[in-house]
Amino acid sequence: MRIGADYYPEHWEKERWKTDFELMNQAHIKVVRIGEFTWSLYEPVEGKFDFSWMDEALDALHEYGIKVVLCTPSATPPKWMIDRYPDILQRDIYGRAKLSGTRKHYCFNSSVYRKKCHILNTKIAERYGHHPAVEAWQVDNELGWSNTTRCYCDECQDKFRFWLKQKYKTIDRLNEKYGTVVWSQIYNGFDEVNIPRAGACYESCHDTQGQNPGLLLDYYRFCSDSVVDFTKETCEDIRAYSSYPISTNMLDAAVNSGTGINYFDLSEKLDFATWDNYIEFQWGVAEDATVSRDHALIRSYKKKPFWVMEQQAGACGWSKMGPTPTPGKLRLWTYSAVANGADTVVYFRWRTALFGLEQYWHGILNHDGKPGRRYEEISQIGREMELLNQTVGTLMPKARVAIIKSFDSEWSHSIHRHVENFQYDNYELSFYRAFYRLGIAVDFISEKEDMSGYDLVFAPALIMADTETVESLSAYVKNGGSLLLTFRSGIKDEFNAMLPETVPGVFAELAGIQVNDYDPQMEKQTTSSGVFGEAKSTLWCDIIEETTARPLGVYTSDFYAGKSCMTVNEYGNGEVYYLGCDLDDDAMLRLAE
Ligand code: GLA
Ligand code: ZN
């Protein structure tokens, strides 16, 4: 375990570097991440490259024994490129180009941009692939940040049509699976399929866009695949010249919400997982359980120790700031990371910028560059991490409880929310939070992962499960596992269409129940009583009828008072719980107990 800092050598006079590196050494900062927004320095005009500034920075860092995570600079294409090749710009859902001046405004599918990235990334990898200061790579920066995973340009439309053709082979199959007979949508060829830009109903219903739900879900999958493919190509460019491990800094689900990238797929391309952790800033204050949940998610994508690539080091925000971290908080946040399996925590940023948009995003040092209160606390953490590293090493929690995180289900729920306030991620969090309160580690797993190592698996609102998933869940239970299913599970096919079976669809046999009636809790709530004590539901109530299961809880209000809200079914050597309603936090805690 060790600490690091995000550093921008290009923002400071070279004369200052020495002071910075000495201060870093004194604070036990072992690693810096650099270079993620520097394309216009590497290639100031098209085809003319300059590496001298990076050569100097790397050599200087090496002199002080500071290791480097070197980034590919694709997050910010230079202005000359945008002017010469305007089609590399992303288009928003209304079809408007995302203009220059900010970042992440390129399209992942732009062949021109991909080629430009390939040329520069290859040169960087070739030049620094064996540099003794470099120890790892970061691809781009925060892929999908600020709603940039889904692009609506013409090139994306072409590529999406090709993607559909590969998937469905014939247009008739697509018509059948999407149910295009509804609203006269039947296509005669793949060339007729448009990407789901903002249409007639977009203003009145952002979730569904008034669009075909099969088309939307496929588009979300395609966009995620596009980001993953972009990452894969960058990794290949690097690996051609370097064997240093590769990562990319992922985003949290707590404050920034989902990126629309399937992080399990993305992580397959990477050697290690990292993420950016801001806890109290302009855009919100994260609950401790959500921060821990995010660490657990990142650990889970590779089931390996991970890094925090950016961790809050001061008061931060763009136009307005959140509070300064009170004494002890930087330390607390670091321990929360390492207790969850982080082996490196890198603080954003070393010194607060004097210019540019992020002048108020405070780093370890203030604008004046003098070591102060936060620097002292970081130095203490640095010492402690060194000590911990020598004694216990990385703390990788061994979880016996797992929660299935399904990106397909998440995206399907984002299109059809089922009821006001239902949010897949929050619902998952309600399970995590209960175990967090008990101090019990939880892993997240994809629905395709091996579950045999876990005593207890939760599958909250797993709305779609293919045959393979149903079989692996059944096998897990048969072999003695305990599985908990919930309302809104197993009722759709992978094309985002409803199944004709009675709820809970493909899980009816496993759960040993039938649901013939349900009650979305809009502007109402229902009470219940069971193994979880007395509870309140504010989202959803399935009115359960047992076939082979037995009840563990009943509703105590509304017209279904006395009917089951929770059941358990013996299945093979294990058991399947079915929770037909949401529970308040305290009832969730008692359920977890
Ligand atoms: C993100 C980015 C950084 C920086 C910080 C602060 O996490 O990765 O480049 O912009 O936020 O805003
Ligand atoms: Zn595009």
Side-chain angles (χ1 to χ4, degrees):
M1 282 171 290
R2 56 181 187 162
I3 60 167
D6 297 294
Y7 182 57
Y8 298 89
E10 71 279 15
H11 294 182
W12 308 98
E13 303 290 338
K14 281 181 199 145
E15 294 68 51
R16 167 73 195 194
W17 289 359
K18 193 169 167 298
T19 313
D20 282 333
F21 300 157
E22 275 165 5
L23 284 171
M24 287 181 193
N25 278 338
Q26 282 164 31
H28 308 263
I29 286 174
K30 309 285 183 198
V31 57
V32 295
R33 183 205 56 183
I34 63 176
E36 74 275 28
F37 301 120
T38 54
W39 196 318
S40 59
L41 288 177
Y42 280 129
E43 193 180 3
V45 290
E46 188 166 17
K48 292 254 178 308
F49 296 92
D50 177 11
F51 295 95
S52 57
W53 63 279
M54 182 54 92
D55 292 350
E56 269 184 75
L58 286 179
D59 292 346
L61 283 157
H62 185 53
E63 213 177 291
Y64 284 81
I66 299 166
K67 289 289 180 186
V68 173
V69 177
L70 191 57
C71 305
T72 58
S74 51
T76 41
K79 182 66 168 44
W80 59 256
M81 196 188 294
I82 290 162
D83 290 346
R84 187 159 310 163
Y85 310 102
D87 288 347
I88 69 168
L89 290 173
Q90 274 210 359
R91 301 249 158 195
D92 70 10
I93 198 159
Y94 295 97
R96 300 173 302 209
K98 294 193 181 171
L99 300 174
S100 70
T102 176
R103 54 184 184 180
K104 308 294 307 164
H105 41 306
Y106 65 87
C107 167
F108 291 103
N109 284 314
S110 156
S111 17
V112 172
Y113 195 58
R114 298 274 284 244
K115 194 160 157 232
K116 290 288 178 198
C117 289
H118 169 70
I119 295 170
L120 181 56
N121 292 342
T122 302
K123 284 185 187 293
I124 293 172
E126 196 176 356
R127 193 170 186 96
Y128 304 120
H130 295 102
H131 195 288
V134 178
E135 65 158 38
W137 296 94
Q138 175 183 299
V139 172
D140 201 284
N141 190 74
E142 292 189 338
L143 297 162
W145 171 83
S146 190
N147 209 9
T148 53
T149 295
R150 296 173 191 157
C151 173
Y152 297 87
C153 77
D154 289 343
E155 199 159 352
C156 283
Q157 179 153 291
D158 286 348
K159 300 226 160 106
F160 180 53
R161 289 170 176 171
F162 180 76
W163 185 95
L164 289 175
K165 201 162 177 201
Q166 302 284 104
K167 176 167 176 175
Y168 293 94
K169 311 288 187 241
T170 68
I171 198 67
D172 289 348
R173 182 146 187 277
L174 180 144
N175 279 319
E176 182 205 323
K177 297 301 182 189
Y178 282 9
T180 51
V181 63
V182 174
W183 291 1
S184 191
Q185 292 174 347
I186 298 167
Y187 300 110
N188 294 311
F190 288 100
D191 286 355
E192 290 183 359
V193 183
N194 287 342
I195 53 175
R197 296 189 175 107
C201 308
Y202 184 65
E203 298 309 329
S204 50
C205 186
H206 283 231
D207 299 348
T208 66
Q209 295 178 220
Q211 289 272 11
N212 185 298
L215 175 76
L216 282 174
L217 182 57
D218 269 346
Y219 196 60
Y220 293 177
R221 289 172 173 141
F222 161 78
C223 293
S224 175
D225 285 359
S226 303
V227 177
V228 172
D229 193 60
F230 177 89
T231 307
K232 175 175 158 265
E233 207 164 276
T234 307
C235 291
E236 285 165 1
D237 289 343
I238 296 169
R239 288 190 182 116
Y241 293 98
S242 178
S243 56
Y244 296 139
I246 309 174
S247 191
T248 188
N249 48 345
M250 294 189 251
L251 285 160
D252 59 284
V255 178
N256 286 330
S257 82
T259 55
I261 302 168
N262 182 325
Y263 276 165
F264 284 111
D265 290 349
L266 182 72
S267 301
E268 267 178 34
K269 310 293 172 214
L270 307 171
D271 297 304
F272 64 112
T274 66
W275 76 291
D276 295 347
N277 183 19
Y278 295 98
I279 303 105
E280 301 180 352
F281 68 154
Q282 171 169 10
W283 292 287
V285 173
E287 178 196 345
D288 53 353
T290 65
V291 176
S292 182
R293 183 272 316 262
D294 287 332
H295 287 307
L297 274 167
I298 304 295
R299 176 186 73 234
S300 296
Y301 293 129
K302 286 204 84 75
K303 304 286 178 308
K304 268 179 32 182
F306 62 97
W307 296 25
V308 181
M309 196 59 102
E310 296 181 18
Q311 172 134 315
Q312 182 170 351
C316 48
W318 274 6
S319 58
K320 298 171 273 182
M321 284 167 268
T324 189
T326 50
K329 273 210 174 157
L330 299 177
R331 186 162 170 261
L332 172 71
W333 293 335
T334 307
Y335 276 91
S336 149
V338 300
N340 268 300
D343 62 13
T344 302
V345 176
V346 182
Y347 299 96
F348 189 91
R349 47 190 277 161
W350 170 243
R351 180 173 169 185
T352 316
L354 299 178
F355 38 71
L357 178 71
E358 295 191 332
Q359 299 170 15
Y360 296 116
W361 207 285
H362 287 77
I364 299 171
L365 304 184
N366 286 338
H367 300 94
D368 64 8
K370 292 183 190 149
R373 174 179 70 83
R374 298 192 306 283
Y375 174 84
E376 293 310 324
E377 190 166 323
I378 298 283
S379 308
Q380 181 194 343
I381 302 167
R383 274 197 305 280
E384 291 174 356
M385 288 302 138
E386 234 171 53
L387 210 64
L388 274 175
N389 204 36
Q390 288 154 13
T391 50
V392 292
T394 304
L395 301 167
M396 185 66 185
K398 171 113 188 54
R400 292 167 55 200
V401 180
I403 298 173
I404 293 180
K405 160 110 180 161
S406 158
F407 283 91
D408 273 349
S409 286
E410 175 163 355
W411 297 337
S412 172
H413 287 301
S414 78
I415 296 163
H416 286 130
R417 286 196 184 278
H418 302 271
V419 65
E420 195 68 41
N421 297 326
F422 179 74
Q423 224 225 353
Y424 177 77
D425 226 39
N426 281 344
Y427 188 49
E428 293 236 315
L429 177 62
S430 70
F431 288 89
Y432 180 85
R433 186 186 285 117
F435 287 95
Y436 174 79
R437 287 171 75 181
L438 292 173
I440 292 174
V442 176
D443 277 352
F444 288 87
I445 57 175
S446 84
E447 61 269 56
K448 303 282 175 219
E449 244 171 285
D450 176 27
M451 312 171 188
S452 57
Y454 299 100
D455 296 342
L456 181 54
V457 171
F458 290 90
L462 185 62
I463 196 157
M464 52 184 72
D466 58 16
T467 317
E468 197 192 321
T469 304
V470 177
E471 278 169 7
S472 95
L473 285 169
S474 308
Y476 165 71
V477 180
K478 269 191 192 138
N479 291 327
S482 292
L483 170 71
L484 184 141
L485 301 165
T486 77
F487 63 91
R488 302 285 86 187
S489 291
I491 55 173
K492 282 196 167 206
D493 66 18
E494 60 169 294
F495 307 98
N496 214 10
M498 292 302 290
L499 292 170
E501 284 85 16
T502 304
V503 176
V506 295
F507 293 132
E509 193 205 320
L510 259 178
I513 58 157
Q514 275 192 14
V515 175
N516 291 303
D517 204 356
Y518 39 74
D519 189 15
Q521 302 289 289
M522 190 182 123
E523 292 179 16
K524 65 181 289 192
Q525 54 186 43
T526 300
T527 56
S528 58
S529 167
V531 289
F532 43 76
E534 307 293 308
K536 224 171 38 211
S537 301
T538 54
L539 293 173
W540 193 272
C541 296
D542 270 352
I543 304 166
I544 305 176
E545 288 161 35
E546 293 83 359
T547 49
T548 56
R550 63 189 161 79
L552 292 178
V554 292
Y555 293 108
T556 53
S557 64
D558 221 301
F559 73 91
Y560 37 96
K563 294 276 191 188
S564 294
C565 64
M566 183 177 177
T567 54
V568 62
N569 191 36
E570 313 294 330
Y571 191 87
N573 294 323
E575 47 206 11
V576 179
Y577 296 88
Y578 187 89
L579 183 58
C581 57
D582 59 298
L583 302 175
D584 56 89
D585 276 350
D586 288 338
M588 281 299 260
L589 178 64
R590 292 189 294 266
L591 178 70
E593 273 168 352

